[in-house]
Every structure is written in structure tokens, then in C-alpha cells.
Amino acid sequence: LRIANNNGRAVIVDEHHYVDISTASNGKFGPGPDAVFEDWHNFIEWAQDPAAISAADKLPRSAARFDSPVTRPSQIFAIGLNYADHANESKMEIPQHPVVFTKFGSCLAGPDVEVRLTGETVDWETELVVVMGASGRNISEDRAWDHVAGLTIGQDLSDRTIQFWSTPPQFSLGKSAAGFAPLGPAIVTVDELRDAGYDPNDLALGCTLVESDGRRRELQDGRTRDLIFPVPRLIAELSKIVELRAGDLIFTGTPSGVGAGRDPKEFLKAGQILETVIEGLGMIRQTFVAP
Ligand code: ZN
């Protein structure tokens, strides 16, 4: 199942169609994108019933206008330094415990948006994002995937100047300007990924920069099997301390290849387009505009 947000309404999408969840379920689920998580298990049961969706409910996907698939999560967790090669390029120690910060909720944005740069040092961070489907505390690693609604693509866009303008650094504020958490295009359930032949613990992820003259350059190319704290471990560690709630997001960290880790350092410029891809999940695309 792939669940997206069409203009403020929760929809199920496939390659060619979308289905408005509230319309198809006679108002039982939806209408907003966050409402499906409130009753996640019943929603999944309904959506997997072949009789749930009639042909008349299917509309052409090209008519949909996708926004962030989650709009009001109760919490957004983001994990720093969760790939060894990224910790090395950042000249930081390999963490012994997950390094956790937040992206404040007002920075969530759709999968294909313009993002206004906040300065000269805005950087890219390609990340697998976990969407929680069932609340819980003290979730064990072996039950963790059962609590996940699905996976999606995120960029943890980061203004390195704001992030490091005080000691200790303030990751959260530097990563929370408008549009700094583009998300989507859809939440893909773990079943759907497995059925398509993907291992949710080992997905290729990366991003490509497209210059205004069309030249393309690959910036990041990693695999989620290299996560220092994999998804089940993150869910177990976080839920030892906080209640994880349905609809919460976990940005799981970025592999190497960020701009601040390059010599010389390199950051996003107006007119550039960033395409971020995770296998099985699709692509998001951001166009950057001047401050
Ligand atoms: Zn990050």
C-alpha cells in the first residue's frame, strides 16, 4: 500500500491511479492525511480488502497534487551521525547511543516544492524516514517493524551556519526553516516493499544535483544496511524514553557525501534542483530559490 496526501486529503496511490480514502470508505477513514494513523490497523484491514475500492473510485494519478504525506506528527525525531562514513567526514566520533534532535513540525513540506535558501551554507542530507503506525513504549527490536506504518523519503536540509553558531551546536533550529523537511511522495508499507522484492533493512538511497543548465552530479549513494542504529534499534532505544505515537516521524540519518564534508565545502545555490531517491519508495525533488 502506498498512502499519500492529495491536496490535504489522504489517498491510496498506485502507478496510474489514486483513490480518495474518505470517499471510498464512506467517511470511515480520513479525510485528512493524519487521520489514517489514528485507526491504523483497521484502516489497513479495510484497504487490503479487494472489495473496498471500486473502479469508480480510481482517478488518474496525473490529476493528483501531492503534499507531505504526514502534516501534523506529534513528534519528529532526527538521528545524527548514524552512518560511520558520515560520522568520519564530519570528523565526529562514532556514537555509542543514538544522537537525537528534532525538526520542528512547521518545516514539513511536500515531495516536489521550491525551498527558499536561508543563506550560503544550506546542505543536503538524504534520509530514510520511518512513519509510526502504532503507539507504544518499550517496543522490543523484534516487534519494532510491527509498529511502523511505512517508510518514505526525506531530506534533512540543514543550514550549517545556524546549526553551529553556538556551542553546543543547535541542530534543531538549523534544520527547521520553511521547507527544510520535504517528505514523500508516499508512505510505502513494509509489506508492499517486501512484496516488491526489497529488504526494508537494506535500501539504496542517494541524491543527485541538477544544475540550471541541466548538468547532473551524484552527491550521495549509500545503503540503509550501513545504519549504525538500524530502524528496529532506533524504535527500541527511543521508546525506552518516550512514547512513540502513530504518525510520528523518525529521520534515520544520512550517509556520506554531504556538502560540509567535502573539500572544499559545497552548499546549495539558487536555481539548483535536488533529486532524492530511495529504491522502492520513489523520488522527491526540490528546487532552490534565493534567500
Ligand atoms: Zn540528518
Side-chain angles (χ1 to χ4, degrees):
L1 210 59
R2 292 171 184 262
I3 300 137
N5 170 2
N6 174 36
N7 212 8
R9 293 178 67 92
V11 295
I12 296 171
V13 289
D14 65 22
E15 209 182 327
H16 301 296
H17 299 99
Y18 79 90
V19 172
D20 186 277
I21 289 169
S22 177
T23 304
S25 69
N26 293 314
K28 194 162 182 224
F29 304 105
D34 303 298
V36 294
F37 305 109
E38 289 163 12
D39 198 7
W40 178 253
H41 285 292
N42 286 325
F43 164 71
I44 285 294
E45 209 166 290
W46 169 81
Q48 287 175 341
D49 177 351
I53 293 162
S54 68
D57 292 326
K58 293 191 175 182
L59 300 168
R61 179 169 170 145
S62 55
R65 174 79 188 84
F66 296 126
D67 205 339
S68 173
V70 181
T71 66
R72 294 190 174 272
S74 80
Q75 302 169 104
I76 302 172
F77 303 92
I79 312 300
L81 307 173
N82 202 14
Y83 290 82
D85 53 2
H86 174 60
N88 291 337
E89 74 177 352
S90 305
K91 301 182 175 58
M92 305 281 228
E93 302 276 312
I94 304 289
Q96 300 303 305
H97 301 277
V99 176
V100 183
F101 57 93
T102 193
K103 290 173 80 72
F104 295 108
S106 58
C107 70
L108 285 172
D112 188 351
V113 290
E114 275 192 355
V115 178
R116 190 165 296 283
L117 296 168
T118 48
E120 305 288 306
T121 59
V122 177
D123 205 345
W124 55 87
E125 293 194 358
T126 297
E127 306 205 4
L128 176 72
V129 178
V130 176
V131 184
M132 297 303 293
S135 303
R137 287 184 182 273
N138 298 308
I139 301 166
S140 65
E141 279 185 55
D142 55 342
R143 294 294 314 277
W145 281 116
D146 299 339
H147 286 256
V148 172
L151 300 173
T152 193
I153 306 170
Q155 264 290 339
D156 175 17
L157 296 173
S158 304
D159 184 318
R160 302 298 186 199
T161 302
I162 300 172
Q163 182 179 352
F164 292 107
W165 72 14
S166 62
T167 308
Q170 45 184 354
F171 279 39
S172 301
L173 207 57
K175 291 162 171 271
S176 290
F180 273 30
L183 205 67
I187 299 163
V188 182
T189 59
V190 178
D191 286 1
E192 171 95 10
L193 267 177
R194 289 198 173 115
D195 288 350
Y198 296 106
D199 174 356
N201 291 298
D202 182 17
L203 298 170
L205 76 172
C207 66
T208 298
L209 194 66
V210 186
E211 301 287 355
S212 43
D213 64 5
R215 271 180 305 133
R216 302 172 64 84
R217 193 156 42 99
E218 189 174 82
L219 299 176
Q220 289 186 285
D221 178 21
R223 296 200 72 92
T224 61
R225 67 168 178 235
D226 295 325
L227 283 165
I228 296 169
F229 301 99
V231 171
R233 178 85 190 278
L234 287 175
I235 290 173
E237 295 287 334
L238 290 168
S239 70
K240 279 179 194 167
I241 299 168
V242 294
E243 181 186 35
L244 293 179
R245 297 175 182 150
D248 282 354
L249 302 176
I250 306 171
F251 282 70
T252 58
T254 197
S256 63
V258 303
R262 288 164 188 259
D263 187 15
K265 291 183 192 320
E266 186 188 341
F267 299 106
L268 292 163
K269 296 186 189 73
Q272 291 177 329
I273 295 170
L274 186 64
E275 293 183 349
T276 306
V277 174
I278 301 184
E279 63 177 355
L281 304 182
M283 179 177 80
I284 62 173
R285 193 169 193 273
Q286 277 60 57
T287 305
F288 295 93
V289 298

